[in-house]
Amino acid sequence: MKAINHPTTSHKAPKFATLTALAAACAMMLSAPVHAAEADTATATAASTSTAVPSAIDSTKRVIRLAKPNTAVSTAQTDAQANTAIPQNNVQQNSIQPNNVAQPTFTQGNNAQQSNVQQTNAQPNRAPLNTTHMAQPPAVPAPNAPELTGTTRVYERGPMTATGIDLRSGQLPNIPAPQVNISDISFVPTVLIPQQQGLGTDKLDVSLLDDFIKEVSPNARHYPPNFPNRTQRHNAREKIKVMTEWIEPYAKAPNASYDVLIRAAKLNGMGRNLDLGSEYTVRGGQYVDRAIKLKPNSGEANFIYGMMLSEGGGFKEGQKYLDQAVSLGYTEAEQSLAQSDVLSDRRDKALERLRRLAQQVPDNAVIRQQIKLIEDGKFYIWDIPAPDVNIKPST
């Protein structure tokens, strides 16, 4: 009889292959967290070392990094950066790899080929990979592109310097050098007045305002105003508008000081003479009335109020304020009384008043001109050639 050779393959072969695959998968799952922890520790240590910033001794000083674009990174530094990036990629791959292993099945009677088929079929059913955390290939810097490096410097204050070009040195031959000559230099004295009544109040700088009032008063203080030309008259009107608008909020305050009120009254009175509107007449009368209540013995306040009333037609109303100003030694109040006498058909009384005043103030040339106007039959004693004024247009 022929001997029949039976296959030596045992029925235990499929089970042995399945157990071997299970052991390999468990070993990989247990070793992956260890490698990942070691890689994370190394990465954290490198990051803390690279981001360390030197601290300044003085906390009030600023730290500035001075960049040097012409300094290139050496080849050893580039290789070290590339080698540092490779373990990070391996760690990410190892941390993902346990999820790719198919779970083995413990079904007897299947051979190794069937087990491989089951692993292949199980891959489509697993969760998709997160591509955002996958390692990117290391960036290789361009061989010729320099990398910015820098040093740390502590900022300290230093002297400010400015550089420029002297046109007279011939560096710009095509541009003519300007020639500037400064002459007729004048200074405006600083004048500070209290804003409100009482002590401890804020101060107002009225230096430019007082300079303007002093310059334009001979031309616009009395009616009719007199200017050398229409341009100066127009500039004076516009300037009065600006000045009045500036001082108006301070003069409207219920506790405005005397200095604020008397200046607001002067500006509004000149605005009335230059026909800027009836509101200037009303405001001027209100402000000077409040100023007299604060200082009843002010010769200037009494004169301004009496002049505004008499030149506006209120001869009797204005006379008592003008008489009060004369008693306080205000010379210009006598001239305003003479103007009231002329407009009231009392020329002889006006001439007597002015001639007596001319003897008291012999250096006043204006009084002599006013006497001449009355003798010539004129009605307005302030209609005399006005001095030239240099009023700049408002900007």
Side-chain angles (χ1 to χ4, degrees):
M1 294 179 64
K2 295 182 179 180
I4 300 174
N5 295 328
H6 295 281
T8 59
T9 304
S10 175
H11 293 286
K12 297 181 180 181
K15 182 182 294 185
F16 181 78
T18 303
L19 294 177
T20 302
L22 178 61
C26 293
M28 294 175 64
M29 294 176 63
L30 293 175
S31 62
V34 177
H35 294 301
E38 294 177 355
D40 293 340
T41 304
T43 304
T45 304
S48 62
T49 303
S50 61
T51 58
V53 179
S55 60
I57 297 177
D58 189 358
S59 61
T60 62
K61 298 180 179 179
R62 293 179 293 172
V63 177
I64 298 178
R65 294 189 177 276
L66 179 63
K68 298 180 179 179
N70 296 328
T71 304
V73 180
S74 61
T75 307
Q77 293 178 354
T78 305
D79 296 340
Q81 293 176 358
N83 295 332
T84 305
I86 293 175
Q88 296 178 358
N89 299 336
N90 294 335
V91 171
Q92 293 179 357
Q93 291 178 1
N94 293 335
S95 61
I96 298 173
Q97 192 173 8
N99 296 329
N100 298 338
V101 179
Q103 298 295 332
T105 56
F106 297 92
T107 304
Q108 297 182 359
N110 296 331
N111 52 17
Q113 183 176 4
Q114 292 177 351
S115 178
N116 294 334
V117 172
Q118 291 178 357
Q119 291 179 3
T120 305
N121 295 334
Q123 290 180 358
N125 296 328
R126 62 189 177 183
L129 295 178
N130 188 359
T131 58
T132 59
H133 297 287
M134 293 187 67
Q136 300 294 332
V140 180
N144 297 329
E147 183 175 344
L148 293 176
T149 61
T151 58
T152 301
R153 292 186 180 180
V154 178
Y155 171 81
E156 295 180 357
R157 292 182 178 272
M160 297 181 62
T161 59
T163 58
I165 299 176
D166 188 2
L167 298 180
R168 298 173 299 177
S169 61
Q171 297 182 13
L172 300 175
N174 296 329
I175 299 179
Q179 300 294 332
V180 179
N181 294 324
I182 301 177
S183 61
D184 193 16
I185 301 175
S186 61
F187 298 91
V188 177
T190 301
V191 180
L192 299 177
I193 62 173
Q195 177 180 339
Q196 297 177 351
Q197 305 171 29
L199 300 176
T201 180
D202 295 336
K203 303 291 184 180
L204 291 179
D205 187 350
V206 293
S207 306
L208 296 178
L209 188 146
D210 283 7
D211 183 70
F212 169 75
I213 292 177
K214 180 181 179 181
E215 183 177 15
V216 80
S217 287
N219 306 82
R221 185 183 185 101
H222 298 278
Y223 188 85
N226 193 348
F227 287 89
N229 51 63
R230 297 177 62 182
T231 301
Q232 292 187 7
R233 178 186 173 94
H234 171 76
N235 292 341
R237 284 168 53 95
E238 297 303 315
K239 200 76 172 182
I240 289 174
K241 291 179 182 179
V242 175
M243 294 291 186
T244 305
E245 183 179 1
W246 176 79
I247 203 173
E248 189 69 16
Y250 304 106
K252 280 185 176 180
N255 56 344
S257 66
Y258 168 84
D259 298 291
V260 171
L261 293 172
I262 199 66
R263 286 166 173 81
K266 291 179 181 179
L267 288 173
N268 282 274
M270 291 189 293
R272 181 203 67 169
N273 295 336
L274 290 170
D275 302 325
L276 289 179
S278 59
E279 64 271 13
Y280 285 83
T281 304
V282 176
R283 289 198 302 258
Q286 292 175 350
Y287 294 150
V288 72
D289 180 63
R290 292 171 56 189
I292 292 177
K293 291 178 180 178
L294 293 177
K295 290 187 177 182
N297 295 325
S298 171
E300 184 179 26
N302 282 276
F303 159 71
I304 291 176
Y305 201 11
M307 176 196 63
M308 293 177 64
L309 291 173
S310 62
E311 291 183 357
F315 305 118
K316 293 182 180 180
E317 293 81 0
Q319 184 174 357
K320 63 178 182 179
Y321 294 102
L322 291 175
D323 289 338
Q324 178 70 10
V326 170
S327 65
L328 294 171
Y330 209 87
T331 303
E332 197 172 350
E334 286 273 18
Q335 295 170 276
S336 293
L337 286 173
Q339 176 68 80
S340 299
D341 292 336
V342 172
L343 295 178
S344 302
D345 294 331
R346 297 192 297 266
R347 288 180 176 270
D348 295 339
K349 191 175 182 179
L351 285 173
E352 181 183 355
R353 188 186 296 272
L354 290 177
R355 287 168 182 167
R356 185 178 63 251
L357 187 62
Q359 293 178 357
Q360 297 175 359
V361 190
D363 297 334
N364 194 330
V366 175
I367 298 176
R368 294 193 297 268
Q369 294 178 6
Q370 291 174 338
I371 294 174
K372 182 68 169 57
L373 288 174
I374 297 176
E375 292 175 346
D376 294 341
K378 304 294 183 181
F379 287 92
Y380 293 100
I381 65 175
W382 298 106
D383 191 12
I384 56 180
D388 192 10
V389 292
N390 187 20
I391 303 174
K392 301 295 187 302
S394 302
T395 56

